[in-house]
Amino acid sequence: MLRQYIEAKTACPDSLLFFRMGDFYELFFDDAVSASELLGITLTSRDAVNKDDRIPMAGVPVRSVDSYIARCIQAGRTVTICEQVEDPREAKGVVKRSVVRTVTPGTIMEPDLLEDRTNNYLAAIAVHDGRAGLALVDVTTGELVTAQINEHAERVLEDELTRMAPVEVLVPADNGDLLELLQRRFEETAFTIREEHEFDADHAADLVGEQFGLGTLKGVALDDAPEALGCTGALLAYVRETQRDAVPHLRMPRRYSPSHFVVLDGNTQRNLELVESLMDKKRRGTLLAVLDRTQTSMGARKLRHWILHPLLDVKRIQDRLDAVEALYDDASLRMELREILKGIADLERLIGRITARSGNGRDLRALGQSLEQIPPLRALMGRMDASLVEHLQEDMDDMAEESRLILSALVDEPPVTVQEGNLIRTGYNGELDRLHDLVRGGRDWIAKLQREESERTGIPNLKIGYNKVFGYYIEVSKSYVDRVPSDFERKQTLVNAERYITPALKSQEEEIVTAQERMTRLEYDLFVELRDTVAQESGRIQQTADAVATLDALLALADVAAAKGYCKPEIEDSGRIDIREGRHPVVEDLMKRDDFVPNDTILDPDKARLQIVTGPNMAGKSTYLRQVALITLMAQIGSFVPAAKAHIGVVDRIFTRVGASDNLVRGESTFMVEMIETANILNAATAKSLIVLDEIGRGTSTFDGISIAWAVAERIHDRVQAKTLFATHYHELTELADNLERAKNVNVAVREWGGKVVFLYRIVDGGADHSYGIQVAKLAGLPQDVITRAREILDSLEAGAPALSGLPQQLYLFGPGTSAEPSRVEQELETVDPDELSPKEAQEFLYHLKHLLKTPRQESTGS
């Protein structure tokens, strides 16, 4: 047995080997020590060949192995399963065992270890000579997609990994620098280093052709994509290596281009909180949480994919919107569809387990019951007038024959295990029915024998029982032992009873047990035959599942639109964004109905494409910025939007620069992170992009920050020409609207009342003239003495008191908000000695002087 273990362990040196021994999986040697620490299980030992040595040993029960595997995976380990591959009762010598699969984060099949509403992607990436390949597979659903990236390879790869969120990534050994970069960025992702030759395009071509029966790669668009092809081959090799003979059915590779969808870089995905919140990375507080009213797990995964992949093609967007509208307009149809969809299980993952030969009777039964819902679902879809729904209806296979076959074969409540019988329904197989009758008749004979022997011996509590050690036996309590006849042969003595056998009982037992074993074996064979038959239809089932998922996602969008009063947006390609009474979908969802204050937005490439948004903190600037981005994104996934009316010109990219924090791991300060993100936007944005910038330049000194923010705004307006919302506390930037032809000032309206500031949350034209910083600080709960002192300092600065920083007081006379009289300005200027100013002080002085000369209220000769 240990020789078997060592041979199996040689094939998986870095994996924990779970070695099947009866009702337990045992681990030995170093694996036992590691598992004991990792899983908190008892570490024992057993004798080695040399009695002086002890072999470390630990084990987990077969029935609860999934939970232990999950803990190993979460701890960063992989698990290899070595199973008994013959019946121990028929084994001659040591039971034969074989490694059946290795469980890694990206190859998990067990439903209890998976998140139902999220894909479990395994990815392969490679970068060579400035080009990159990407391939992703979800072995639980069979989905396989690839991408060839020929420009900005590392940046696009990082964005796609953020978007697709694989749990495990294969990287060639010669991509060490890339690996180091991504490990810092994706701390929770498992990265697995593989040999370079596994990413070779020629080797991959053979693997892909063999796996999918292809004579050419042109049909899957991989003939001109060597990096994408290499990554696809590396994925297939890894799946085969880990799954051995249980490779699930994979769909034909589908090549996609990231450029065919709205570009959402990693920062934008996080800042807009599309599928996970910034605070705790949970689903609550995200756009997905608002929109996801799907009834099936596969529908939820489809909707999540849509949110992360907004469309660029106006016709495809319009087709989705028309389908949502058809559902939106018919409440009774939506209700009927919801009821049917509730009865459909996760077809994608069910057929995945079935083709991987790990599906049990309950999986097959759930598949049969789900397929039974397809005909009435297709009938309801016939009531909808939308081209996309017509295509979905065509893609749904009736599957009535397969459903009838499954439901006629399996009992209503199959057991979890498939090798202990009680799976197949009476009437499905004649031989099985005959064996059932034989076993049932044998058990009736046993019951009759118990009555007869009790009457013959006069022992009222005589009973016949069964266990695996003795088989059938007659049990008599100690008080009646004196009545036991001579033909009873004693087999076992208990504390309060004796157990006996008789020749007749043993003869009947042999017939019953033999029939039971034959029946159990036949049931298993019939189940495997049924499972293999259904697996042959995996392509049709996967296509049907995808159509059901799409319908479910459309229905969810229609449901939320009807419940929350969304409107159907107008979609075209002019680039103009016109939103009337727009609302932030997530913030509105977390508030009482009608409490949210809506706002209009117009971004016109030919008129005002750059909005300078000013106003105090807490007034709603960030909410306004994000809501415009979210409404645009929602429109381009084919969703109705939270607005009274919306006209959306398709955008090719959405960029956000909102908030920042130090990246200590990379050694980057808050300001450096901010500048890197801003540089990426300026270098990648186009005239068709939407840019949202919040507080550019606040991570450095005031004058540096203003200068950078001003220059960035000018660059976007003059060179990039993207539609832009630019929120700032630098009121000096409001002058951009006077200098730039297509810039406009808007601000968040506030009112002062009784010494307090009241936020109106309404966007109005014009620039803000006050920051209200001290009022906001008071609302935030700063101690009153701090607030009082802050007011004193502010009053002193505005009145021209000596500078707190040690700079000449003249620097503080001419800043924004000051009201020095021209005569005093002239007097103060005469007292300034340029030689006493440092270069930095001189620069700030000149800045304030420039501001003074531009201020209309001080345009006098004296000034």
Side-chain angles (χ1 to χ4, degrees):
M1 185 275 294
L2 281 174
R3 187 178 298 113
Q4 282 183 334
Y5 179 87
I6 292 170
E7 288 176 357
K9 183 62 182 173
T10 303
C12 56
D14 299 322
S15 186
L16 293 174
L17 180 62
F18 280 41
F19 190 79
R20 180 72 178 268
M21 294 180 67
D23 293 333
F24 279 79
Y25 286 105
E26 301 289 357
L27 300 95
F28 298 98
F29 303 107
D30 291 343
D31 281 2
V33 177
S34 297
S36 173
E37 296 173 354
L38 182 64
L39 305 174
I41 56 179
T42 302
L43 180 66
T44 61
S45 62
R46 64 183 298 161
D47 290 335
V49 176
N50 182 344
K51 298 297 184 182
D52 294 332
D53 295 331
R54 302 288 294 176
I55 298 172
M57 174 180 172
V60 299
V62 170
R63 66 178 181 275
S64 56
V65 69
D66 283 356
S67 63
Y68 290 104
I69 292 176
R71 288 162 64 184
C72 292
I73 297 299
Q74 289 165 0
R77 299 298 302 269
T78 62
V79 174
T80 298
I81 307 295
C82 185
E83 285 285 1
Q84 295 174 172
V85 293
E86 69 173 337
D87 190 330
R89 291 170 295 186
E90 299 177 358
K92 295 178 180 179
V94 180
V95 177
K96 291 180 181 178
R97 294 179 174 85
S98 177
V99 171
V100 294
R101 61 185 289 242
T102 297
V103 184
T104 74
T107 59
I108 293 172
M109 294 293 293
E110 290 74 12
D112 292 342
L113 308 186
L114 295 164
E115 170 57 50
D116 290 343
R117 306 176 82 81
T118 305
N119 283 98
N120 196 70
Y121 284 121
L122 167 69
I125 61 173
V127 176
H128 294 112
D129 300 325
R131 299 187 308 274
L134 170 66
L136 300 114
V137 65
D138 185 340
V139 296
T140 69
T141 66
E143 180 186 9
L144 175 58
V145 296
T146 66
Q148 176 74 23
I149 304 165
N150 294 325
E151 294 181 353
H152 312 296
E154 291 190 4
R155 187 182 73 203
V156 175
L157 257 186
E158 184 174 336
D159 292 342
E160 286 305 295
L161 290 178
T162 303
R163 179 147 47 183
M164 304 300 284
V167 295
E168 183 178 6
V169 180
L170 310 181
V171 184
D174 61 352
N175 274 193
D177 291 342
L178 175 65
L179 175 62
E180 185 178 348
L181 171 70
L182 295 178
Q183 283 178 323
R184 290 198 303 265
R185 172 64 187 83
F186 300 97
E187 296 177 356
E188 298 180 3
T189 303
F191 287 89
T192 303
I193 300 174
R194 306 291 288 178
E195 296 295 329
E196 295 97 320
H197 69 82
E198 295 184 19
F199 293 79
D200 177 71
D202 293 334
H203 174 64
D206 294 336
L207 267 180
V208 173
E210 178 187 340
Q211 177 73 27
F212 300 103
L214 300 175
T216 175
L217 297 177
K218 290 184 178 180
V220 290
L222 288 175
D223 55 312
D224 60 348
E227 281 74 28
L229 175 60
C231 289
T232 306
L235 273 189
L236 292 177
Y238 188 69
V239 171
R240 287 186 177 187
E241 177 185 313
T242 56
Q243 305 305 293
R244 272 70 174 187
D245 296 328
V247 176
H249 181 271
L250 303 180
R251 301 183 212 174
M252 201 75 75
R254 175 176 60 83
R255 182 176 171 185
Y256 82 102
S257 173
S259 61
H260 288 172
F261 303 97
V262 176
V263 174
L264 302 172
D265 63 19
N267 292 320
T268 296
Q269 294 173 49
R270 288 186 293 274
N271 291 333
L272 294 183
E273 298 182 291
L274 299 180
V275 296
E276 62 177 33
S277 66
L278 280 170
M279 182 177 296
D280 57 10
K281 297 188 180 299
K282 301 294 185 184
R283 191 169 177 272
R284 175 177 164 77
T286 66
L287 180 62
L288 177 62
V290 173
L291 299 183
D292 188 2
R293 297 195 174 193
T294 55
Q295 306 301 314
T296 69
S297 296
M298 50 194 176
R301 294 192 295 270
K302 177 70 72 174
L303 181 59
R304 188 180 195 275
H305 179 84
W306 285 0
I307 289 173
L308 293 171
H309 294 80
L311 300 173
L312 293 175
D313 186 278
V314 172
K315 184 180 185 309
R316 290 184 64 194
I317 298 171
Q318 194 61 55
D319 285 346
R320 278 191 198 168
L321 285 170
D322 290 345
V324 172
E325 183 178 36
L327 291 162
Y328 177 92
D329 290 338
D330 195 333
S332 63
L333 175 62
R334 293 203 310 274
M335 184 173 66
E336 291 179 68
L337 288 171
R338 273 199 304 272
E339 289 305 308
I340 291 180
L341 288 170
K342 286 178 182 177
I344 299 180
D346 195 337
L347 296 176
E348 292 178 328
R349 285 186 170 166
L350 285 175
I351 195 61
R353 291 196 293 277
I354 288 167
T355 58
R357 301 174 190 167
S358 62
N360 60 22
R362 294 183 182 181
D363 290 331
L364 265 180
R365 174 87 184 164
L367 179 65
Q369 291 175 314
S370 299
L371 295 179
E372 200 175 26
Q373 305 299 318
I374 301 303
L377 187 66
R378 295 181 75 245
L380 283 177
M381 293 168 69
R383 289 164 47 183
M384 298 171 60
D385 183 18
S387 60
L388 177 56
V389 177
E390 292 175 6
H391 290 311
L392 295 177
Q393 191 178 24
E394 293 171 2
D395 287 343
M396 283 187 198
D397 204 308
D398 195 85
M399 307 301 294
E401 184 178 340
E402 288 72 21
S403 175
R404 282 194 297 269
L405 174 64
I406 294 170
L407 298 180
S408 66
L410 297 176
V411 297
D412 290 344
E413 297 183 4
V416 176
T417 59
V418 298
Q419 294 185 329
E420 296 180 7
N422 300 317
L423 280 165
I424 304 300
R425 186 184 294 276
T426 300
Y428 180 72
N429 179 272
E431 175 62 12
L432 183 62
D433 290 345
R434 189 185 71 78
L435 291 172
H436 266 299
D437 292 340
L438 186 59
V439 171
R440 192 180 302 113
R443 289 172 179 164
D444 292 342
W445 185 90
I446 292 291
K448 179 182 177 185
L449 177 65
Q450 178 175 304
R451 291 193 302 272
E452 291 176 347
E453 290 294 350
S454 179
E455 293 172 2
R456 179 170 76 93
T457 62
I459 302 174
N461 60 357
L462 179 149
K463 65 179 181 181
I464 297 179
Y466 177 85
N467 65 33
K468 293 182 178 180
V469 178
F470 296 112
Y472 284 100
Y473 56 83
I474 299 172
E475 184 172 295
V476 178
S477 64
K478 287 287 180 68
S479 59
Y480 290 101
V481 169
D482 59 331
R483 298 186 187 184
V484 171
S486 58
D487 59 333
F488 278 28
E489 178 185 344
R490 186 163 56 191
K491 290 293 292 182
Q492 187 181 22
T493 299
L494 304 178
V495 174
N496 297 315
E498 299 283 350
R499 288 178 174 176
Y500 304 87
I501 62 172
T502 67
L505 182 61
K506 288 287 110 177
S507 174
Q508 190 65 29
E509 174 190 316
E510 186 175 351
E511 288 187 24
I512 295 172
V513 172
T514 301
Q516 181 71 53
E517 290 176 351
R518 289 171 57 198
M519 184 176 70
T520 300
R521 188 178 300 112
L522 179 57
E523 279 205 71
Y524 177 71
D525 291 341
L526 290 171
F527 172 78
V528 170
E529 181 184 2
L530 175 65
R531 187 171 65 187
D532 291 345
T533 299
V534 173
Q536 292 175 9
E537 306 301 326
S538 59
R540 295 167 59 206
I541 295 172
Q542 286 172 332
Q543 178 176 297
T544 298
D546 189 68
V548 171
T550 302
L551 177 65
D552 193 12
L554 292 169
L555 178 60
L557 294 178
D559 275 339
V560 74
K564 296 183 177 298
Y566 291 178
C567 76
K568 182 182 180 181
E570 299 174 19
I571 300 291
E572 45 76 51
D573 214 13
S574 72
R576 186 170 184 267
I577 293 177
D578 187 347
I579 301 168
R580 300 305 167 99
E581 297 184 25
R583 312 183 305 273
H584 191 298
V586 181
V587 175
E588 177 189 47
D589 190 61
L590 298 174
M591 299 175 67
K592 292 180 181 178
R593 190 174 183 86
D594 299 328
D595 277 2
F596 190 93
V597 178
N599 278 296
D600 297 346
T601 304
I602 300 177
L603 291 171
D604 192 328
D606 298 325
K607 295 180 181 178
R609 59 173 175 251
L610 171 63
Q611 274 194 11
I612 308 297
V613 186
T614 50
N617 282 320
M618 296 176 59
K621 296 194 304 297
S622 295
T623 298
Y624 171 67
L625 266 59
R626 286 181 170 95
Q627 87 181 31
V628 174
L630 287 172
I631 288 173
T632 303
L633 182 145
M634 288 173 66
Q636 291 191 223
I637 70 170
S639 170
F640 281 27
V641 299
K645 185 178 181 182
H647 180 102
I648 305 296
V650 170
V651 302
D652 64 353
R653 292 165 167 82
I654 298 176
F655 293 102
T656 62
R657 225 289 337 142
V658 181
S661 60
D662 291 351
N663 191 323
L664 300 179
V665 175
R666 298 188 192 180
E668 296 166 352
S669 68
T670 299
F671 182 64
M672 175 59 79
V673 171
E674 180 182 325
M675 290 299 98
I676 290 173
E677 293 177 4
T678 304
N680 288 338
I681 293 172
L682 295 180
N683 292 326
T686 73
K688 294 197 66 175
S689 301
L690 174 63
I691 301 175
V692 172
L693 298 174
D694 195 0
E695 307 296 351
I696 290 293
R698 66 180 178 181
T700 185
S701 71
T702 300
F703 298 107
D704 283 352
I706 292 173
S707 303
I708 292 171
W710 192 297
V712 167
E714 285 184 343
R715 168 81 176 209
I716 291 173
H717 180 276
D718 297 338
R719 300 277 295 277
V720 179
Q721 299 183 4
K723 295 173 288 294
T724 305
L725 296 169
F726 197 121
T728 182
H729 277 126
Y730 297 136
H731 295 161
E732 294 86 344
L733 295 187
T734 58
E735 297 176 18
L736 284 167
D738 299 327
N739 301 333
L740 303 177
E741 181 182 2
R742 293 181 176 84
K744 176 184 178 181
N745 285 322
V746 298
N747 73 92
V748 189
V750 298
R751 293 290 182 271
E752 288 189 82
W753 181 264
K756 297 181 180 179
V757 63
V758 179
F759 300 122
L760 303 182
Y761 304 109
R762 178 72 69 182
I763 300 296
V764 296
D765 288 347
D769 57 3
H770 205 297
S771 292
Y772 298 99
I774 292 177
Q775 289 90 334
V776 172
K778 184 176 181 180
L779 288 175
L782 262 65
Q784 184 57 46
D785 59 329
V786 174
I787 298 297
T788 302
R789 177 59 179 151
R791 289 190 186 279
E792 293 173 355
I793 296 171
L794 178 63
D795 291 342
S796 297
L797 291 175
E798 290 181 341
L804 299 178
S805 65
L807 296 179
Q809 68 176 19
Q810 290 83 356
L811 297 185
Y812 295 90
L813 292 176
F814 318 123
T818 60
S819 56
E821 290 299 321
S823 59
R824 182 171 175 214
V825 171
E826 187 173 1
Q827 293 171 4
E828 293 293 346
L829 284 176
E830 291 175 353
T831 67
V832 175
D833 183 354
D835 294 334
E836 294 180 357
L837 300 181
S838 69
K840 179 68 174 176
E841 291 169 342
Q843 181 183 19
E844 294 186 4
F845 181 84
L846 290 173
Y847 169 82
H848 280 300
L849 185 59
K850 175 183 176 183
H851 184 275
L852 168 70
L853 296 176
K854 280 190 172 183
T855 305
R857 59 183 170 78
Q858 295 178 341
E859 288 181 353
S860 69
T861 306
S863 299

